Amino acid sequence: MNCDLLIIGSGPAAWSCALTARQRDLSVVVAAAESATGWLQKAERIDNYPGMPAVSGKDMLRIFRQQAEEAGAQVVSSLARQVQPLGDIYMTLCGNDIIESRAVVLAMGAARPKLLPGEEELIGQGVSWCGTCDGMFYRGKDVAVLSAWHGGIEEAEFLSRLCAKVDYYTMAAHDLPDERPYALHEGKPAELVRQEDKIIVKTDVSADAYDGVFIFRPAVSPAKLLPGLELEGAFIPVDRRMATNLPRVYAAGDCTGQPLQIAKAVGEGNIAAISAAEDLK
Amino acid sequence: MATEIKQENFDSFIREADKPVLVDFWATWCGPCRMLAPVVDELAHENEDKLIVGKVDVDNCPDLAKKFGVMSIPTLILFKDGQPVDKRIGYMPKNELEQMVEKAF
């Protein structure tokens, strides 16, 4: 899939950016891995956004998205996991698909994944962040899925077709289907430990051994998403054009820092789109 | 461009190499592998006088994956004088990849 502008995010900055970019005639894809646990999704009532008095967060996001889609923005609902420059374009891995774009806007909010103790050290040694990539190495074996969002459900279903046993651990509340080919595990994962050729998933109430552990979250840290991107603490520094330190990469919304306000995010998304349109002329 | 290596010619490919060999363990269905592939190809092109680059499709060569403890893809293994000297898991930006292979020159 190719486009002029890829926008990573599903909040006010992303939709505002998509709308303006479409008005500037850019082809736009929004990688909108919506998380039901996002704070705006849960906001019951917002009173400081002009023109939408007493709107719920859910309704606001629906209206923003609808307007961007009606303007011609294409939406993919998968998580952007990796961005890399290649010549004059950027390649972005969304879910398991690659999107090529001439410019990228980072608008993925301020949420940062908190890794479990032991997780990063055990990647590639029984712990994986990609079910479709690594599932085959665990054919006929026992695995655990540790998921902080609904994105883990599809992966658990995929793994259930390959593995002897799949246990599903919930790291943050999300809805699960009634019929499941995997077993729900009660505990909340606290730590991963390697013991001989097994990985032990320790929770507050249990410690179970698996051949493999797959972990899914609705967010990727900016440093992992785009190597070489300059950061200031948890946030992405930008200039007044919303440009980052990388060419044709912009950032907007909560990921650029305080204040974490909807109106500010919408404004920054608008500026990022205008800057991208200028730079892609 | 990276050379496709098969189960049957892997040992001779590594043994007979007169330069360090970087092997990319990958699969067609793996998104991160498809992200890494053009970076590996670029590295192969830029270092063709001092580095040999090969690719192993783990789908066709499960025994090779097992032999080298590949449990996650993409995995890159660097061989020098026939022996594995470095192993990296997951996507890597080009500068990290360059640092990895430079140690073998």
Side-chain angles (χ1 to χ4, degrees):
Chain A
M1 190 187 280
N2 297 328
C3 61
D4 292 322
L5 183 62
L6 175 72
I7 301 165
I8 299 172
S10 59
W15 301 122
S16 163
C17 183
L19 184 62
T20 299
R22 284 300 301 139
Q23 286 176 338
R24 302 273 160 149
D25 222 19
L26 299 182
S27 57
V28 173
V29 174
V30 185
E34 282 181 64
S35 161
T37 55
W39 71 268
L40 190 51
Q41 281 278 3
K42 290 192 284 192
E44 270 181 44
R45 178 180 161 132
I46 296 148
D47 281 316
N48 72 340
Y49 191 77
M52 292 189 194
V55 68
S56 72
K58 213 172 204 166
D59 281 345
M60 175 184 257
L61 285 169
R62 182 180 49 76
I63 294 165
F64 281 165
R65 176 177 175 152
Q66 189 178 341
Q67 196 178 0
E69 285 193 282
E70 282 172 4
Q74 203 179 334
V75 180
V76 295
S77 57
S78 42
L79 182 70
R81 294 155 58 189
Q82 185 79 58
V83 184
Q84 77 172 31
L86 194 74
D88 289 338
I89 61 154
Y90 283 94
M91 290 173 75
T92 301
L93 181 66
C94 289
N96 208 35
D97 297 319
I98 292 171
I99 297 175
E100 293 184 3
S101 63
R102 297 167 64 207
V104 177
V105 173
L106 306 171
M108 63 280 198
R112 297 287 172 266
K114 193 165 177 265
L115 303 188
L116 293 170
E119 178 174 342
E120 196 150 25
E121 303 86 299
L122 291 171
I123 284 290
Q125 299 172 56
V127 176
S128 169
W129 291 325
C130 182
T132 39
C133 305
D134 300 335
M136 65 160 284
F137 296 113
Y138 299 92
R139 199 182 289 274
K141 297 187 172 175
D142 295 347
V143 303
V145 167
L146 280 47
S147 182
W149 71 311
H150 61 80
I153 297 170
E154 201 179 318
E155 299 275 3
E157 285 170 358
F158 170 77
L159 290 167
S160 298
R161 294 198 288 273
L162 292 173
C163 304
K165 182 178 104 166
V166 178
D167 280 349
Y168 195 100
Y169 290 74
T170 310
M171 294 200 289
H174 54 278
D175 291 336
L176 291 165
D178 293 334
E179 281 187 33
R180 296 178 294 260
Y182 44 86
L184 269 193
H185 200 289
E186 290 296 312
K188 192 170 177 188
E191 189 183 2
L192 302 177
V193 180
R194 192 175 172 89
Q195 208 168 78
E196 293 169 4
D197 57 349
K198 300 276 186 187
I199 304 290
I200 313 293
V201 178
K202 288 189 176 176
T203 75
D204 42 351
V205 294
S206 60
D208 292 279
Y210 300 93
D211 299 301
V213 175
F214 291 82
I215 303 175
F216 306 105
R217 296 188 182 85
V220 177
S221 72
K224 281 223 178 335
L225 181 69
L226 180 42
L229 180 72
E230 201 178 294
L231 296 174
E232 272 175 16
F235 297 112
I236 305 165
V238 286
D239 63 14
R240 285 188 62 81
R241 301 178 71 247
M242 298 296 124
T244 69
N245 66 311
L246 299 173
R248 301 179 316 288
V249 177
Y250 314 84
D254 286 359
C255 64
T256 68
Q258 301 280 356
L260 308 184
Q261 292 285 310
I262 299 163
K264 176 255 195 189
V266 166
E268 289 190 352
N270 168 269
I271 296 169
I274 292 169
S275 300
E278 280 170 358
D279 295 345
L280 293 179
K281 264 183 198 161
Chain B
M1 287 287 283
T3 309
E4 186 76 40
I5 317 174
K6 300 260 170 32
Q7 187 93 35
E8 52 275 19
N9 69 348
F10 187 89
D11 286 345
S12 58
F13 190 92
I14 298 292
R15 197 175 51 237
E16 290 162 15
D18 55 355
K19 303 166 196 153
V21 183
L22 181 71
V23 181
D24 177 9
F25 289 81
W26 75 297
T28 50
W29 71 79
C30 158
C33 302
R34 296 201 308 275
M35 286 283 281
L36 186 63
V39 184
V40 171
D41 281 343
E42 209 170 86
L43 186 89
H45 178 68
E46 288 169 4
N47 295 280
E48 57 189 355
D49 55 331
K50 49 186 176 179
L51 180 73
I52 296 169
V53 180
K55 295 173 79 155
V56 170
D57 184 337
V58 295
D59 224 7
N60 299 329
C61 310
D63 293 344
L64 276 181
K66 202 171 176 183
K67 179 176 174 184
F68 291 101
V70 175
M71 295 166 78
S72 187
I73 50 175
T75 288
L76 292 170
I77 302 181
L78 183 65
F79 293 84
K80 193 177 181 185
D81 302 324
Q83 295 302 313
V85 292
D86 202 352
K87 178 179 175 181
R88 306 286 178 95
I89 293 143
Y91 172 81
M92 274 198 295
K94 195 175 162 203
N95 61 335
E96 278 182 36
L97 200 52
E98 283 168 344
Q99 285 167 13
M100 176 189 180
V101 298
E102 267 165 21
K103 283 188 289 183
F105 295 153

